[in-house]
Amino acid sequence: MEVKTALIRDLESLLGKERVISHPTELLVYECDGLTLSRHGADAVVLPESTEEVSRIVKCCQGHQVPFLARGSGTGLSGGAVAAEGGVIVQMSRMATIIEIDYDDEVAVVQPGVINLHLSEATRPDGYHYAPDPSSQKACTIGGNVAENAGGPHTLKYGVTANHILGMTVVMPDGEIINMGGRHESILGYDLVGLFVGSEGTLGIVTEIIVKLTRNPESSKTFLASFNTVEAASNSVSSIIAAGIIPAALELIDALVIQAVESHLKAGFPQDVAAILLIEIEGLNATLSAQAGEIRNICHTHGATDFKEAKSEPERAQLWRGRKEAIGALGKVTPAFYTNDGVVPRSKLPEILEFDIETGKRNGLQVAHLCHAGDGNIHPIILYDHENETETKAAMKTSREILQRCIDLGGALSGEHGIGTEKLTSFSFMFNKTDEAQMMAVRSALSPSGKLNPSKIFPTGAKCGESKIRKTVAGGGWL
Amino acid sequence: MTNNHPSNTLATETIKPVTTDDLARIIREAAEQKRTVIAVGGGTHLFTAGKQFDLAIDTTGLTDGFHHTPADMTATVPAGMRLSHAQEKLSHNGQWIPLDPPDRGNATVGGVIAANRWGPRRHHYGTAKDWVIATTIVNGKGEIVRAGANVVKNVSGYDLNKLYIGSRGTVGIITDLSFKLSPLPAVRSTFRACYSTPEEALTTAAVIRSAPLEPESLLITKGRWTTLKAKHWWLLVELAGSEEGVTAQKETLSTTLEGSSANRWNEANNKDAAYYWETVRFGNGEASPLFGIAEISFPKSQAECLLALLIKSYPKLSLKLLPARGLAIVEIEEETDRSLFVNEITKIGGSIEFDCVEINSPSHRWPVEPAGISLMKKLKTALDPSGIFAPGTYVGGI
Ligand SMILES: Cc1cc2nc3c(=O)[nH]c(=O)nc-3n(C[C@H](O)[C@H](O)[C@H](O)COP(=O)(O)OP(=O)(O)OC[C@H]3O[C@@H](n4cnc5c(N)ncnc54)[C@H](O)[C@@H]3O)c2cc1C
Ligand SMILES: Cc1cc2nc3c(=O)[nH]c(=O)nc-3n(C[C@H](O)[C@H](O)[C@H](O)COP(=O)(O)OP(=O)(O)OC[C@H]3O[C@@H](n4cnc5c(N)ncnc54)[C@H](O)[C@@H]3O)c2cc1C
């Protein structure tokens, strides 16, 4: 208690009382991120407004030997932005300015708290956008995207966050301010930017980011293909990729999700089908028709019962709304659900989708699907009743078994949400002790005290405080 | 021991391991005895800072384990395999690793990635950073470590692949790499236009970039990297893709070039196109009075400024420049004082690497240290605690 009081006093003298939150009820909202199953209390939340302030906060935390971490919008799904060992949350929401947009260099310089969509909204009228588009883009921050190397439906064609970050300013765990990369893409020495992107906020706090801006495509087309079996839909995905076609987006939605969407949103998804593919292609006008023809043929070869193009912008928007808000709709048909973001090589998609459903059955649960299919990135949605302890355990077990299967098929644990605290127990499915030690050597080199965002990613030495798992909270409400 | 391999002159001893396990054992022993080690692929892009090493690892024996899964558009390639060989194998299924560094067939996949090399098609495809998805290396303790997986999207642990790309053998020896692949385009077509001034070439490049065109390469060249005796600035454009896509783009591009201030322009036949690109890669064979090469990267908006600066400093320069990527390779007169030039590059926010025969210290090769150099040194120590991998040969003396 003594230590905590002194810490808060020091933080208040740095920032003023109004920018330090330490009242227990006010701290409640910071107990979890989008993964509501796992909760950890912070001692304080601070609201810096500049890089220098972040640096002073970090030094203060180190002086008091308390853990600290950055937080964006808290939409993360792996329990990353929570104070797993207590300590201070550095909330980036007051550093949310688009500092500069420069079309000559085709870059924007932003503070980490800028909401992802805001940057594209600011640049789209001028013919540019920021390509990484997580489904959460209305809410999540670019700082959080950098930490999680976020993807999105259009990742398939344009690449993930890592492919769009040129430089950044980082407050290191000892408070030192370091610039890395710059306004051009060449790398001098080791690729620090590449290393920091996706490091889940464990190597430094990002306070400024230089991102690439992407030119808007000349045109795009959106299609909806229907299938009588999930297998036919996933086989079509594999064949489209195998044919060397890279659509802008290629999403798979199965019957359970379709039913939920249609009874609550009316997106215009066909009923009485086992699965649909939502396909978007972008590029030069001259190439789209031929590409569309090829995709249509592939889908028909695999037994598509219908293949239609969105005829108007409102129709297209309605389809995407169905995709992006599907989760909300699902929430209305099940007490709770849990999901992960395992990845498989794309030819293994049919196999993993079948496995997911079988595994659910074996554990007495239903599994629905909503995947970034073109990337091989699945989101098995495990339906369960959070009031029922046996079902809750069965849901966790199902998820772990699916992740293990992803690894056995040559895949990975996480395509976009990160390991966080959520997948600590699955880490060893993919990495042996030497692999882990190599990563931890990197972390120890840059964060010797280990006080920055501890108990994340690496199972070795993770403490995770006393995780308050609340039975009454429905978990995994997003993807 | 290997004969005639470039590694022979670099070190007291050369070993050519054929398995990763062998290599790991060799490195473990070297670490125990604190013997310095240099990794050698094709030996075409080595920088030793004038040093002699205790041990050279000829990586060209590491050729087992090639695995291509066309349906996933991914492949795992052993580091010692020649890039040209890998590309040839991948082409059987219509795919390739979209990296095209100048290569006469010697460059190894490991060497290309460790040196982060590239070619004209970087315009469209970017760099190794955009294509490498998994790596196996032997680290400085002689441990075999894996990062990434054969999937195209992955946030499982730190992305150490990024750390290995361009690390020039200073943090570990790469034994295999996995790549995301690209489909080989059905058709390619090259256009060339000639301009009297660099501004005109740059202006046209900008018009092309905002037109409905998606070139695979877009490059400005001058001097040795164009046809013999050329005094002019040339714009080279390569279109690629499906038949109908390329046909439509040809029309747009022709109109654009016709409307530009080009002295002349043409669409090349296959033979000429091959010759143009060969010249871009290796030069036109003209005995050049110039010797040193500098690779400069800069904010795109500074291209014109950079060209003016280059012409002023090196009137006889040869150059290849990727306007859409902010990159230039320049051949310069060695005897000139480089420090003034370096200052100017720094002012426009650029970075530079020199490659001249007489350069034998990292601080001459990389005259401007990156801001994060202190972190880089810590990383080097973390992954190579005994400091055996090519010490003193990289940026900042790493
Ligand atoms: C509805 C919904 C849909 C989603 N869809 C997608 C999707 O399509 N693709 C996808 O990739 N993800 C998706 N996500 C997950 C989530 O939105 C992303 O992981 C996002 O990048 C998190 O951003 P955030 O600002 O909310 O970060 P937070 O959740 O606040 O933080 C995430 C991590 O980033 C770290 N961090 C935050 N800011 C900084 C900083 N400035 N410096 C250093 N570290 C920092 C935190 O410490 C934490 O470890 C979705 C989430 C929801 C709720
Ligand atoms: C005539 C000519 C012109 C060229 N022009 C250009 C140009 O304009 N632009 C350009 O980008 N490149 C250029 N290159 C370089 C060319 O692309 C290289 O041949 C190639 O990229 C390096 O491959 P290598 O196998 O020869 O590597 P090496 O030269 O053997 O090694 C390169 C570096 O990587 C390290 N290394 C090698 N193998 C490994 C491994 N397995 N693990 C870890 N480290 C390793 C070495 O220690 C060294 O630091 C040119 C080459 C030639 C011959």
Side-chain angles (χ1 to χ4, degrees):
Chain A
M1 255 314 146
E2 261 317 295
V3 181
K4 201 160 126 182
T5 317
L7 166 72
I8 287 162
R9 209 178 39 235
D10 284 356
L11 290 169
E12 286 177 348
S13 73
L14 281 179
L15 302 172
K17 272 196 168 51
E18 67 291 352
R19 289 199 282 136
V20 178
I21 299 167
S22 60
H23 193 279
T25 49
E26 284 181 278
L27 288 175
L28 273 181
V29 289
Y30 299 96
E31 273 191 353
C32 68
D33 60 4
L35 177 78
T36 50
L37 265 172
S38 150
R39 296 181 168 251
H40 306 272
D43 297 318
V45 172
V46 293
L47 301 163
E49 292 175 353
S50 69
T51 300
E52 290 67 29
E53 279 187 357
V54 173
S55 167
R56 274 179 235 131
I57 291 164
V58 164
K59 285 178 183 158
C60 174
C61 291
Q62 289 285 17
H64 286 277
Q65 298 187 338
V66 298
F68 57 96
L69 65 136
R71 182 173 169 116
S73 296
T75 69
L77 291 172
S78 59
V82 295
E85 296 182 15
V88 176
I89 290 181
V90 185
Q91 169 64 43
M92 306 308 288
S93 46
R94 292 201 181 188
M95 294 179 67
T97 308
I98 299 176
I99 298 169
E100 188 191 347
I101 291 172
D102 182 336
Y103 296 122
D104 292 329
D105 285 341
E106 300 184 306
V107 300
V109 184
V110 301
Q111 287 189 310
V114 169
I115 302 298
N116 174 300
L117 186 63
H118 293 178
L119 182 56
S120 284
E121 282 174 347
T123 54
R124 212 177 279 280
D126 299 313
Y128 283 87
H129 66 286
Y130 175 58
D133 63 335
S135 308
S136 52
Q137 71 180 150
K138 282 185 190 167
C140 64
T141 66
I142 296 181
N145 296 164
V146 165
E148 300 291 4
N149 192 13
H154 291 78
T155 298
L156 183 54
K157 176 162 180 177
Y158 296 100
V160 288
T161 301
N163 306 110
H164 298 273
I165 306 297
L166 289 174
M168 48 204 193
T169 304
V170 180
V171 173
M172 294 302 294
D174 60 0
E176 192 186 357
I177 297 166
I178 301 239
N179 296 310
M180 41 187 85
R183 287 170 91 95
H184 55 83
E185 62 178 38
S186 255
I187 300 154
L188 198 53
Y190 305 142
D191 182 6
L192 295 175
V193 171
L195 173 66
F196 271 69
V197 175
S199 61
E200 303 194 27
T202 62
L203 297 179
I205 296 182
V206 180
T207 59
E208 206 169 292
I209 308 160
I210 307 176
V211 307
K212 284 188 198 174
L213 294 175
T214 303
R215 288 177 190 234
N216 297 343
E218 189 190 14
S219 55
S220 68
K221 285 179 190 287
T222 309
F223 305 97
L224 195 135
S226 312
F227 299 87
N228 278 335
T229 62
V230 173
E231 196 187 354
S234 57
N235 279 328
S236 302
V237 172
S238 297
S239 297
I240 290 169
I241 300 295
I245 303 169
I246 314 284
L250 184 47
E251 304 275 317
L252 184 149
I253 304 166
D254 78 2
L256 258 173
V257 182
I258 294 173
Q259 281 156 23
V261 168
E262 283 313 301
S263 48
H264 297 280
L265 289 170
K266 306 239 179 306
F269 292 168
Q271 313 261 25
D272 307 325
V273 300
I276 55 171
L277 292 178
L278 189 56
I279 309 166
E280 192 153 276
I281 53 177
E282 284 186 0
L284 298 175
N285 240 331
T287 60
L288 290 191
S289 308
Q291 233 183 56
E294 259 186 280
I295 293 175
R296 179 188 288 111
N297 287 343
I298 291 172
C299 290
H300 282 312
T301 307
H302 287 287
T305 52
D306 191 25
F307 187 95
K308 64 170 190 177
E309 181 179 348
K311 287 280 171 295
S312 63
E313 185 49 40
E315 199 182 323
R316 172 181 178 270
Q318 186 70 357
L319 291 176
W320 275 112
R321 180 166 166 248
R323 163 61 185 91
K324 290 194 172 164
E325 295 176 19
I327 281 302
L330 260 175
K332 297 187 177 145
V333 303
T334 170
F337 52 85
Y338 182 75
T339 188
N340 66 48
D341 60 321
V343 203
V344 292
R346 297 177 278 203
S347 59
K348 305 287 189 210
L349 198 63
E351 205 173 326
I352 190 74
L353 295 189
E354 197 186 324
F355 178 87
D356 293 353
I357 291 173
E358 288 305 314
T359 308
K361 269 194 200 140
R362 211 174 343 101
N363 291 316
L365 299 174
Q366 257 192 318
V367 178
H369 280 112
L370 187 59
C371 3
H372 305 301
D375 285 321
N377 189 188
I378 58 168
H379 288 316
I381 300 161
I382 305 158
L383 311 185
Y384 71 102
D385 179 354
H386 56 283
E387 304 278 2
N388 177 331
E389 201 165 325
T390 317
E391 280 204 6
T392 308
K393 282 194 179 136
M396 301 300 120
K397 179 164 177 276
T398 305
S399 176
R400 275 170 56 90
E401 286 174 8
I402 292 172
L403 288 179
Q404 177 68 64
R405 186 67 181 171
C406 287
I407 304 303
D408 294 345
L409 291 172
L413 293 172
S414 170
E416 52 184 25
H417 302 160
I419 305 294
T421 49
E422 183 209 15
K423 301 188 191 79
L424 284 174
T425 54
S426 324
F427 190 84
S428 64
F429 297 171
M430 183 168 172
F431 298 109
N432 64 27
K433 283 285 165 202
T434 318
D435 301 335
E436 186 188 359
Q438 178 92 343
M439 294 185 204
M440 289 181 75
V442 166
R443 177 155 106 176
S444 304
L446 303 187
S447 179
S449 77
K451 290 291 178 202
L452 175 58
N453 211 4
S455 286
K456 306 290 161 68
I457 308 178
F458 308 111
T460 301
K463 288 201 276 291
C464 268
E466 59 283 9
S467 170
K468 303 177 215 158
I469 295 192
R470 291 189 188 165
K471 264 178 59 186
T472 47
V473 178
W478 315 95
L479 64 155
Chain B
M1 278 294 211
T2 45
N3 295 322
N4 299 326
H5 188 264
S7 54
N8 288 339
T9 53
L10 300 166
T12 326
E13 188 191 358
T14 298
I15 305 183
K16 184 176 176 178
V18 292
T19 68
T20 301
D21 287 332
D22 277 352
L23 175 64
R25 188 183 36 78
I26 294 162
I27 298 302
R28 260 195 312 275
E29 285 169 16
E32 276 160 22
Q33 298 158 15
K34 297 224 181 305
R35 300 176 76 202
T36 58
V37 177
I38 183 157
V40 185
T44 62
H45 207 80
L46 291 170
F47 175 64
T48 61
K51 290 188 166 54
Q52 183 80 7
F53 302 90
D54 296 324
L55 180 62
I57 299 294
D58 173 355
T59 61
T60 60
L62 298 166
T63 51
D64 278 351
F66 176 90
H67 189 73
H68 182 195
T69 318
D72 292 332
M73 293 189 81
T74 61
T76 300
V77 187
M81 183 177 270
R82 310 289 173 179
L83 178 66
S84 49
H85 188 198
Q87 301 284 32
E88 197 264 327
K89 285 166 85 88
L90 296 169
S91 72
H92 297 167
N93 286 291
Q95 298 179 359
W96 70 306
I97 302 165
L99 299 173
D100 63 336
D103 174 16
R104 294 216 190 265
N106 292 340
T108 57
V109 173
V112 169
I113 300 307
N116 198 12
R117 296 296 79 204
W118 52 274
R121 291 181 184 138
R122 176 169 177 175
H123 167 79
H124 182 67
Y125 298 104
T127 59
K129 186 172 174 170
D130 302 304
W131 299 95
V132 172
I133 52 175
T135 317
T136 308
I137 72 154
V138 172
N139 69 13
K141 294 187 205 158
E143 296 164 336
I144 301 167
V145 198
R146 183 135 178 97
N150 278 30
V151 290
V152 298
K153 200 176 170 196
N154 191 351
V155 206
S156 314
Y158 294 159
D159 188 355
L160 297 183
N161 297 308
K162 301 289 192 300
L163 204 50
Y164 306 147
I165 296 169
S167 63
R168 310 221 185 174
T170 62
V171 293
I173 299 183
I174 302 168
T175 61
D176 68 53
L177 287 148
S178 299
F179 295 90
K180 189 161 96 166
L181 302 172
S182 190
L184 278 167
V187 206
R188 284 194 167 115
S189 169
T190 295
F191 284 69
R192 193 172 76 146
C194 169
Y195 297 89
S196 305
T197 67
E199 292 80 17
E200 290 168 282
L202 277 173
T203 305
T204 312
V207 175
I208 289 172
R209 291 202 63 219
S210 48
L213 290 165
E214 285 176 355
E216 194 179 36
S217 312
L218 175 67
L219 178 88
I220 293 169
T221 65
K222 182 179 187 302
R224 237 165 67 72
W225 290 303
T226 70
T227 35
L228 284 168
K229 310 250 179 278
K231 297 267 178 297
H232 290 108
W233 299 81
W234 294 86
L235 185 65
L236 273 167
V237 191
E238 188 173 40
L239 302 174
S242 63
E243 187 91 49
E244 60 276 12
V246 170
T247 306
Q249 290 190 72
K250 275 185 188 179
E251 226 180 281
T252 314
L253 181 58
S254 300
T255 316
T256 308
L257 294 178
E258 185 60 33
S260 78
S261 57
N263 302 331
R264 58 183 185 280
W265 66 271
N266 67 297
E267 181 189 348
N269 61 35
N270 286 346
K271 192 164 147 271
D272 284 350
Y275 172 68
Y276 296 165
W277 291 112
E278 173 77 4
T279 310
V280 166
R281 293 197 169 93
F282 300 107
N284 58 23
E286 206 168 71
S288 165
L290 312 173
F291 223 90
I293 289 190
E295 183 173 315
I296 304 166
S297 51
F298 53 90
K300 284 176 242 188
S301 61
Q302 299 298 319
E304 210 165 305
C305 182
L306 174 79
L307 283 174
L309 181 67
L310 283 168
I311 295 165
K312 195 178 86 195
S313 311
Y314 308 109
K316 284 180 282 179
L317 93 163
S318 290
L319 160 135
K320 36 188 169 180
L321 181 139
L322 273 57
R325 293 280 178 185
L327 272 164
I329 291 186
V330 184
E331 205 178 51
I332 54 171
E333 292 147 85
E334 267 196 288
E335 58 276 17
T336 35
D337 175 17
R338 287 187 292 261
S339 59
L340 215 69
F341 180 65
V342 171
N343 283 343
E344 298 284 334
I345 299 283
T346 312
K347 260 190 238 157
I348 61 168
S351 65
I352 189 161
E353 172 174 355
F354 285 108
D355 187 1
C356 311
V357 265
E358 108 271 10
I359 283 186
N360 59 11
S361 92
S363 62
H364 287 142
R365 190 169 176 115
W366 296 279
V368 188
E369 281 187 5
I373 190 73
S374 59
L375 304 191
M376 294 177 196
K377 288 181 176 167
K378 288 179 189 167
L379 289 169
K380 159 78 176 174
T381 308
L383 304 188
D384 176 19
S386 309
I388 56 171
F389 289 129
T393 62
Y394 200 24
V395 177
I398 282 174

